[in-house]
Amino acid sequence: MIVVDISGYNVFLGTMYTNSTVTGKWEDFITKDVIKFMDKNYKTIPKKEARAIMGHSMGAAGAANISIRHADKFSIVYLMSPAVGESAEKYMSQMFSNNSTLNQLEILSEKLINVKDKNFQSEIIKNLEKFENKHTLMWTLAYGMAFSPDRTKPLKMKLPYKK
């Protein structure tokens, strides 16, 4: 067995292993580049029946999405504590149960209106230090940049709500 460990962790806590115009083409990287590289450089059985995908937490959610979208490439899927279901519901309920997270996203967005792409990462990290629930904001940003990217917006994502 050959195990390939791919970290999708980034400065915003994760890429969600999906294709995004903001965080990169992670799904393509895994389903095209990694598979091609492994089959070319190692003694593999280059067919779905000999290939599995697995992950933990965000990686398990990514493995679930990738395995559904690319059932032709993987015959086994193993998910360990996927970041879906109850844990994702917890974040979502925190975000929408009161306006603090939503208000902070709007404040952060306003602070980044004139920030250029090359300075985006450093400016957002600097500004996030000022917020009380930094982890929740970072998770929301990572999720939004992965699944609702929009490079024209100050946060590089569409905000997931309307007041």
Side-chain angles (χ1 to χ4, degrees):
M1 177 184 344
I2 300 171
V3 176
V4 179
D5 183 11
I6 299 168
S7 175
Y9 192 81
N10 66 7
V11 68
F12 302 109
L13 305 179
T15 62
M16 308 304 162
Y17 296 94
T18 191
N19 288 344
S20 166
T21 56
V22 175
T23 59
K25 295 188 176 263
W26 286 87
E27 183 178 329
D28 287 351
F29 172 67
I30 292 165
T31 60
K32 295 176 182 175
D33 302 336
V34 172
I35 290 173
K36 182 178 176 181
F37 178 85
M38 296 305 295
D39 288 344
K40 180 180 176 186
N41 293 288
Y42 294 91
K43 190 175 181 179
T44 64
I45 302 169
K47 56 184 180 178
K48 96 176 220 168
E49 291 79 14
R51 198 174 295 123
I53 187 167
M54 63 179 282
H56 174 260
S57 191
M58 173 188 60
N65 288 331
I66 289 170
S67 69
I68 291 167
R69 294 170 52 86
H70 299 276
D72 60 318
K73 292 184 173 57
F74 304 98
S75 64
I76 298 169
V77 183
Y78 181 53
L79 310 177
M80 296 174 285
S81 300
V84 295
E86 193 174 314
S87 61
E89 287 175 22
K90 177 183 171 196
Y91 274 114
M92 290 302 180
S93 67
Q94 285 175 352
M95 184 164 50
F96 292 105
S97 65
N98 67 48
N99 285 333
S100 66
T101 301
L102 303 180
N103 288 338
Q104 289 182 43
L105 281 173
E106 287 182 338
I107 291 166
L108 185 59
S109 181
E110 289 169 12
K111 289 179 181 273
L112 296 170
I113 284 177
N114 296 316
V115 172
K116 304 286 184 217
D117 281 352
K118 67 179 183 173
N119 300 326
F120 174 72
Q121 184 173 313
S122 60
E123 284 297 312
I124 201 166
I125 295 301
K126 182 173 74 176
N127 279 285
L128 279 171
E129 294 299 327
K130 301 170 188 169
F131 291 96
E132 188 176 309
N133 61 343
K134 177 182 168 186
H135 187 270
T136 301
L137 286 170
M138 289 181 76
W139 184 89
T140 306
L141 289 167
Y143 204 83
M145 288 179 205
F147 293 110
S148 189
D150 187 340
R151 296 186 73 80
T152 67
K153 304 287 185 191
L155 294 177
K156 308 299 182 217
M157 63 180 249
K158 296 172 195 153
L159 292 176
Y161 62 89
K162 290 184 181 177
K163 284 188 172 179

